[in-house]
Amino acid sequence: MEAMKSIVNSLSSLCFVCILLLFANAASAKTHYHNFVIQATPVKRLCKTHNSITVNGQFPGPTLEVNNGDTLVVNVVNRARYNVTIHWHGVRQMRTAWADGPEFITQCPIRPGKSYTYRFTIQGQEGTLWWHAHSSWLRATVYGALIIHPKQGENYPFPKPKREAPVLLGEWWDTNPIDVVRRATRTGAAPNVSDAYTINGQPGDLYKCSKQDTTIVHMDSGETNLLRVINAGLNQQLFFTVANHKLTVVGADANYVKPFTTSVLMLGPGQTTDVLIKADQTPSRYYMAARAYASAQGAPFDNTTTTAILEYKTASCSSNCAKTKPVSPSLPAYNDTATATAFTRKFRSPRKVEVPTEIDENLFITVGLGLENCPRGARSRNCQGPNGTRFAASMNNVSFVLPSNFSLLQAHHQGIPGVFSTDFPAVPPVKFNYTGNVSRSLWQPIRGTKLYKLKYGATVQVVLQGTGIFTAENHPIHLHGYDFYIMAEGFGNFNPKTDTSKFNLVNPPLRNTASVPVNGWTVIRFVADNPGVWIMHCHLDVHITWGLAMAFLVENGVSELESLEAPPVDFPVC
């Protein structure tokens, strides 16, 4: 009896400690309020001034800094002439799908002159994410960093860096990017490629009229700093390096990783990578540089190079370095798939993780480009793709069509019929040699708004299979509302009999955007524990424009904490 009392007392004490810890965590969590004013702002780059769409007149937009557990309340006021939404890329949005942001998926757009307040809590995420417009091509200039520090009193799982700096890689068009995508949509042809890449909004030394505004990042000799690298570009995977310096990767997509050292990063649009860099070179100036990883053979791309400057701030350097030409870096060849693949395969979780092993839903999804035949009666000027066609893209031969009168989440929540169907195919409708010479009869997808329904708590495996339709290339695939484990990747056609043995069941990395290799495949797994409608799409914006997307409809669970919250009172209407 005494032993039983002792156990009860111990459990009571433990519960009391747990309650105290919960209250302590709740007390340390903060709510951050921000106002985002979307407006046209004169921005001068490459010798010309454009009225670019910005947030609060800033390009890039403001960096938001929070701690794990904090809440963000961001009031977005649209004073531009375009519809807009803001997506908080990589934020899990647990039960708050209304705040996710993709246009016509989770919300109708914020019309000119209107506003909407995004409210959500960061839960269990630390590292670097970012936010961006999710309407048309507005994210060419409407984006910024979202930095999530550990909870108050907690530390990084690596030595605290002396300084931190966001490094946002972007693309710049020397014209209005909305006009670029509208012209491509009208003609059916590929859009013009960008005119420059940027680092923190600046093209850098190698472009006309850009040298004096080149981004400079300072370091002191001997210190170790943290660079938070984000690929905010629209349509291009990018290699990134710092001349003469090694980079130790410690995080990606707001998840810590098992540290590894490299001289070059490869990031697809949407991906983030946290790296430690040590100032262990001769005090001087060193170029940080990024240029294209262009995997699609024969496809046009922007072959320019953006630069920033890493500058040592020491007594021996302060007077002389400003006059010194920065040390130039070595970057991989544009089509260096071997380097890109070697980099992505190095990622591991820091320790053993609980990978879903009993799979409830097993999907095989082909991703790739295609061509639509010119519609009957259409003019040739509207069919300027190859051989008088229009470019298209698809998953499992379905080219995704956004609704226009309701968002998918609203239609699901309110039971509005006719907006979508739930018959997205779990496997390709036709089996073929996906990465070989594909018959032209398979080039034309069907158009539709098809979702795939998942029960709450279902364990899901998705094989993302690249195809050689029209042209093969590396696709950065982003899933909203979830992080997922990347089990394996490879080249050729995925073979479950031989490739399953390659799965990392011990410490696979946790990401929100996965690179599907050119002419290859990637396998991801996740648990459907977040109710709502979640789009999965290629983060090359030209590809989502052409329909390279699908969406999961995750049903509510049994309890309130497993169910979608009610929509906010200021939810935009179409």
Side-chain angles (χ1 to χ4, degrees):
M1 196 64 162
E2 288 301 318
M4 182 63 72
K5 282 182 180 178
S6 176
I7 291 170
V8 169
N9 288 335
S10 297
L11 288 173
S12 298
S13 299
L14 185 60
C15 288
F16 181 68
V17 170
C18 290
I19 291 168
L20 284 178
L21 286 172
L22 283 172
F23 275 113
N25 284 335
S28 66
K30 296 178 181 177
T31 300
H32 303 260
Y33 296 89
H34 296 275
N35 285 307
F36 275 16
V37 178
I38 312 293
Q39 60 191 23
T41 303
V43 177
K44 186 175 183 180
R45 298 290 186 275
L46 307 182
C47 315
K48 287 169 62 177
T49 299
H50 296 280
N51 258 341
S52 299
I53 306 303
T54 66
V55 170
N56 300 346
Q58 301 175 41
F59 170 66
T63 294
L64 305 185
E65 297 197 51
V66 300
N67 292 86
N68 181 4
D70 287 356
T71 296
L72 271 164
V73 180
V74 185
N75 181 46
V76 177
V77 179
N78 186 5
R79 292 185 184 156
R81 59 191 176 105
Y82 306 107
N83 294 336
V84 72
T85 65
I86 300 293
H87 169 52
W88 313 93
H89 186 109
V91 174
R92 284 294 315 273
Q93 298 290 0
M94 299 300 293
R95 303 178 57 228
T96 54
W98 307 105
D100 189 45
E103 184 178 62
F104 293 115
I105 303 296
T106 60
Q107 70 169 95
C108 293
I110 307 167
R111 305 290 184 186
K114 302 295 184 181
S115 64
Y116 176 49
T117 301
Y118 294 89
R119 301 171 178 85
F120 56 91
T121 299
I122 306 292
Q123 300 183 47
Q125 295 182 278
E126 295 178 10
T128 306
L129 296 176
W130 63 301
W131 57 265
H132 60 81
H134 213 297
S135 292
S136 185
W137 278 20
L138 284 179
R139 79 174 180 89
T141 52
V142 179
Y143 63 85
L146 173 55
I147 296 171
I148 307 169
H149 298 286
K151 291 181 179 180
Q152 293 283 353
E154 296 186 7
N155 300 313
Y156 298 120
F158 47 82
K160 186 178 180 180
K162 183 74 173 179
R163 315 182 206 198
E164 301 181 10
V167 178
L168 290 99
L169 311 177
E171 281 182 275
W172 177 263
W173 276 260
D174 201 14
T175 185
N176 183 350
I178 302 299
D179 291 342
V180 174
V181 67
R182 284 180 173 176
R183 189 180 307 114
T185 302
R186 185 173 63 251
T187 63
N192 292 341
V193 300
S194 56
D195 297 288
Y197 300 113
T198 58
I199 297 178
N200 292 351
Q202 296 294 340
D205 281 17
L206 307 183
Y207 297 91
K208 60 183 180 181
C209 304
S210 303
K211 185 172 184 176
Q212 67 180 21
D213 296 314
T214 298
T215 297
I216 297 177
V217 176
H218 292 115
M219 289 182 72
D220 283 334
S221 285
E223 69 186 20
T224 298
N225 291 346
L226 179 66
L227 301 180
R228 299 177 179 273
V229 188
I230 300 166
N231 185 350
L234 259 71
N235 293 321
Q236 193 61 64
Q237 287 97 336
L238 294 168
F239 288 121
F240 173 82
T241 192
V242 181
N244 289 19
H245 288 74
K246 294 290 187 181
L247 304 172
T248 300
V249 178
V250 292
D253 294 357
N255 288 290
Y256 295 118
V257 303
K258 185 177 182 179
F260 66 91
T261 300
T262 180
S263 59
V264 64
L265 314 180
M266 194 288 285
L267 298 89
Q271 292 183 319
T272 72
T273 307
D274 292 344
V275 298
L276 296 175
I277 180 170
K278 187 170 184 180
D280 57 3
Q281 298 299 302
T282 303
S284 187
R285 306 170 96 213
Y286 298 86
Y287 272 131
M288 309 163 75
R291 75 176 185 189
Y293 164 47
S295 59
Q297 191 172 357
F301 66 96
D302 179 352
N303 64 359
T304 61
T305 301
T306 180
T307 55
I309 296 172
L310 182 72
E311 184 173 297
Y312 281 62
K313 298 296 290 181
T314 60
S316 62
C317 186
S318 58
S319 57
N320 301 321
C321 280
K323 305 168 189 174
T324 306
K325 181 175 172 55
V327 178
S328 293
S330 175
L331 278 159
Y334 299 116
N335 63 349
D336 190 346
T337 291
T339 294
T341 304
F343 175 71
T344 58
R345 287 182 175 175
K346 287 180 181 176
F347 284 85
R348 299 284 187 275
S349 286
R351 59 192 63 84
K352 185 174 174 21
V353 295
E354 294 296 321
V355 184
T357 52
E358 299 294 324
I359 304 300
D360 299 315
E361 299 278 358
N362 203 337
L363 288 83
F364 187 102
I365 299 180
T366 55
V367 299
L369 304 187
L371 299 172
E372 289 181 325
N373 293 329
C374 194
R376 187 174 297 172
R379 299 181 179 182
S380 58
R381 68 187 185 194
N382 300 122
C383 301
Q384 294 183 30
N387 301 316
T389 61
R390 293 177 58 84
F391 274 107
S394 66
M395 290 187 168
N396 277 355
N397 205 46
V398 179
S399 189
F400 191 76
V401 178
L402 288 172
S404 56
N405 295 324
F406 301 95
S407 72
L408 295 176
L409 185 62
Q410 182 184 7
H412 161 59
H413 186 70
Q414 298 179 2
I416 301 169
V419 179
F420 63 85
S421 62
T422 55
D423 57 346
F424 181 84
V427 295
V430 178
K431 288 186 178 181
F432 57 97
N433 180 7
Y434 307 113
T435 55
N437 291 322
V438 182
S439 166
R440 295 255 175 153
S441 64
L442 297 171
W443 283 31
Q444 174 142 342
I446 62 168
R447 291 167 58 82
T449 310
K450 298 176 182 287
L451 278 57
Y452 192 89
K453 189 180 287 188
L454 295 171
K455 289 189 178 300
Y456 183 91
T459 53
V460 185
Q461 174 173 292
V462 183
V463 178
L464 295 162
Q465 173 69 61
T467 66
I469 295 176
F470 186 70
T471 185
E473 65 182 296
N474 185 297
H475 295 278
I477 302 296
H478 172 47
L479 174 59
H480 288 228
Y482 287 90
D483 284 337
F484 48 74
Y485 290 111
I486 299 180
M487 307 304 297
E489 64 176 63
F491 291 102
N493 299 328
F494 177 77
N495 184 334
K497 292 181 180 177
T498 56
D499 290 330
T500 303
S501 63
K502 301 172 186 174
F503 287 5
N504 180 357
L505 296 169
V506 178
N507 59 350
L510 198 58
R511 304 294 300 263
N512 65 54
T513 305
S515 292
V516 178
V518 56
N519 267 326
W521 51 267
T522 296
V523 179
I524 66 173
R525 286 184 185 178
F526 64 96
V527 178
D529 59 358
N530 194 10
V533 176
W534 306 105
I535 188 171
M536 183 171 73
H537 64 91
C538 182
H539 221 279
L540 304 178
D541 271 30
V542 63
H543 289 181
I544 190 174
T545 301
W546 291 337
L548 190 46
M550 58 82 67
F552 290 106
L553 193 167
V554 181
E555 298 177 315
N556 284 336
V558 293
S559 70
E560 182 182 355
L561 293 178
E562 295 177 349
S563 301
L564 181 68
E565 292 182 359
V569 292
D570 62 341
F571 194 63
V573 294
C574 288

